[in-house]
Amino acid sequence: MSESDADLLHETIRQFRWAANYVVLNARNDDGYVETRKGKLNSQTYDNVRSETELHSNLVQAARSRAADALKSVVAKWKRGKNASLPYFSSPFLEYDQRSATFHDDHASLSTVDGRITADYVLPDDERKTPHSEYLFSDDYETTGATLHYRDATDEFYLHVRTKADVDAPEPRENGTVLGVDLGVENIAVTSTGVFWSASEFDHWHREYEKRRASLQQCGSRDAHENMQAVGLKETGRFEQLLHRVSNELVEEADENGCSHIAFEELTDIRDRMPGAKRLHAWAFRRLFSYVEYKAEERGISVQQVNPANTSRRCSSCGFTHEDNRPSQDTFECLKCSYANHADYNAAKNIGYRLLGKQTAGEGGAPVGVRLNTGMMNANGVKAVPTLVRAGVHGECHGL
Ligand SMILES: [Zn+2]
């Protein structure tokens, strides 16, 4: 970058900061309240900033947006009863968007107070697996903007480029079908469609790693501590792999059944409610939930947690709730209507209904049915179009 281009950037940054600080200074209205709405701030300051600076109109707006965001967080602090002074922008920076800059693979064209300049990127030599190779050069990611920083210590400009996946997130589905998911110690997950993911593989590997740890502890070598850590890392890696697989299959199950929602029980304090659950289980459930959440989102499926109260004691067929409905850990048998089924499957259906009830009672619209392995049930318990039972899964079909 030439000396004169650098001077132009410095002057642009100076005017940008001036504009942002000007918006802050003019944010207080006559009645003493601080304005945070971008539209209002814009009409209060835009003309003056345009006449006082040589900034491109998009940079004027970017400075105003930046000021509005900072004002909002200060006002939010005041509302929480905390002390905070109005923002002041002192560090050298500048916000570009797609209209005030154009981003290419190896350079960017940036708007300044006197036309545009071209800035070549200085990138790491090794382009394998860098953020640049993954995002900047990839056709799958679109550049949405950048923040230009200047560092005095090195006398260098840094451009932090923001990208987003080019494939826009799909529209959320609104057909209102819920897949309920029950989590457990014996079965990691069970769906309202009757798919079971047994915890046996999970338990097997947990025992194996415990054994390895125990023998390391016994031999008590100098490296034992490091080896223990290595075992711990391997264990985590194996479990994460396993949970990724379960989450993929869970989301697939929701997708195949045309579900718009997946319901989990609330994960807070899950160990207190679940006999035999260790810290490892709570960790695994949280991990599984977050995997499912982001994978489902990519398909427009919303993932939510519901109140778990009584979901294991309530009859998913008639609604009768009693602790004696659970003669054993695995079995559910309704004292009132004699509906009998695997306890986890019964709970998964209840978790699905819980989200259904929440939605129909509250926000209006949204879910209308829980997907079951023999069909769909709506909030009134009416059986709808049957669906196929997935091959190779728990195939019981009675119960509606
Ligand atoms: Zn019943």
Side-chain angles (χ1 to χ4, degrees), residues 271-288:
R271 277 178 74 198
D272 300 339
R273 301 193 299 268
M274 200 179 278
K278 298 173 186 166
R279 218 168 58 194
L280 178 68
H281 289 100
W283 169 85
F285 297 148
R286 280 197 306 274
R287 213 27 88 89
L288 179 65

Side-chain angles (χ1 to χ4, degrees), residues 315 317-320 334 336-339:
C315 172
S317 188
C318 77
F320 179 68
C334 180
K336 196 173 168 195
C337 76
S338 339
Y339 167 77

Side-chain angles (χ1 to χ4, degrees), residues 18 51-52 81 92 107 124 132 143 155 165 259 274 280 293 317 363:
W18 182 88
S51 64
E52 293 293 321
H107 70 280
H132 314 100
T143 307
D155 187 26
C259 295
M274 200 179 278
L280 178 68
E293 195 178 31
S317 188
E363 294 131 40

Side-chain angles (χ1 to χ4, degrees), residues 18 24 28 34 39 78 94 106 111 169 212 244 249 257 306 343 345 371 377 391:
W18 182 88
V24 171
R28 205 177 274 280
V34 169
W78 290 346
L94 173 54
D106 58 349
S111 168
R212 283 182 214 182
H244 267 299
E249 290 172 8
N257 284 285
V306 300
Y345 173 59
R371 187 59 79 177
M377 213 168 183

Side-chain angles (χ1 to χ4, degrees), residues 59-284:
L59 290 179
V60 174
Q61 286 170 24
R64 189 254 302 135
S65 293
R66 193 54 193 255
D69 291 342
L71 285 164
K72 261 182 211 150
S73 72
V74 167
V75 170
K77 277 181 195 156
W78 290 346
K79 284 183 178 160
R80 293 198 302 269
K82 291 191 174 163
N83 271 327
S85 48
L86 286 176
Y88 177 74
F89 299 95
S90 58
S91 68
F93 80 101
L94 173 54
E95 297 282 359
Y96 283 110
D97 65 14
Q98 284 162 307
R99 286 158 304 178
S100 50
T102 315
F103 304 95
H104 305 275
D105 277 358
D106 58 349
H107 70 280
S109 139
L110 306 171
S111 168
T112 74
V113 288
D114 185 20
R116 285 192 171 217
I117 60 144
T118 298
D120 291 327
Y121 300 146
V122 182
L123 298 172
D125 290 337
D126 183 3
E127 281 167 8
R128 282 163 304 161
K129 269 294 165 195
T130 64
H132 314 100
S133 64
E134 245 179 280
Y135 301 112
L136 200 52
F137 301 142
S138 163
D139 291 337
D140 297 338
Y141 290 88
E142 182 195 351
T143 307
T144 56
T147 308
L148 182 74
H149 296 274
Y150 172 72
R151 264 181 228 160
D152 220 1
T154 51
D155 187 26
E156 280 173 324
F157 289 99
Y158 290 85
L159 195 64
H160 290 255
V161 179
R162 289 184 295 278
T163 59
K164 74 166 193 216
D166 214 8
V167 271
D168 285 324
E171 284 289 301
R173 298 184 190 184
E174 276 173 12
N175 63 38
T177 311
V178 180
L179 184 78
V181 181
D182 181 59
L183 302 169
V185 171
E186 203 176 316
N187 295 295
I188 296 180
V190 177
T191 65
S192 57
T193 48
V195 185
F196 284 62
W197 284 272
S198 159
S200 57
E201 194 181 338
F202 191 83
D203 293 341
H204 165 80
W205 284 110
H206 184 50
R207 278 195 304 272
E208 283 299 306
Y209 288 112
E210 291 281 80
K211 261 188 247 167
R212 283 182 214 182
R213 268 191 286 261
S215 69
L216 277 173
Q217 213 148 31
Q218 255 179 354
C219 69
S221 76
R222 276 182 304 176
D223 302 331
H225 181 68
E226 274 168 43
N227 285 332
M228 292 268 262
Q229 284 187 323
V231 171
L233 281 176
K234 268 188 202 158
E235 182 179 25
T236 305
R238 184 176 287 275
F239 287 153
E240 281 173 341
Q241 212 181 339
L242 210 144
L243 294 166
H244 267 299
R245 206 184 66 218
V246 175
S247 69
N248 286 337
E249 290 172 8
L250 250 168
V251 173
E252 194 62 41
E253 178 69 10
D255 202 5
E256 276 176 16
N257 284 285
C259 295
S260 59
H261 291 72
I262 301 177
F264 280 80
E265 62 196 285
E266 258 160 34
L267 298 179
T268 331
D269 302 326
I270 195 164
R271 277 178 74 198
D272 300 339
R273 301 193 299 268
M274 200 179 278
K278 298 173 186 166
R279 218 168 58 194
L280 178 68
H281 289 100
W283 169 85

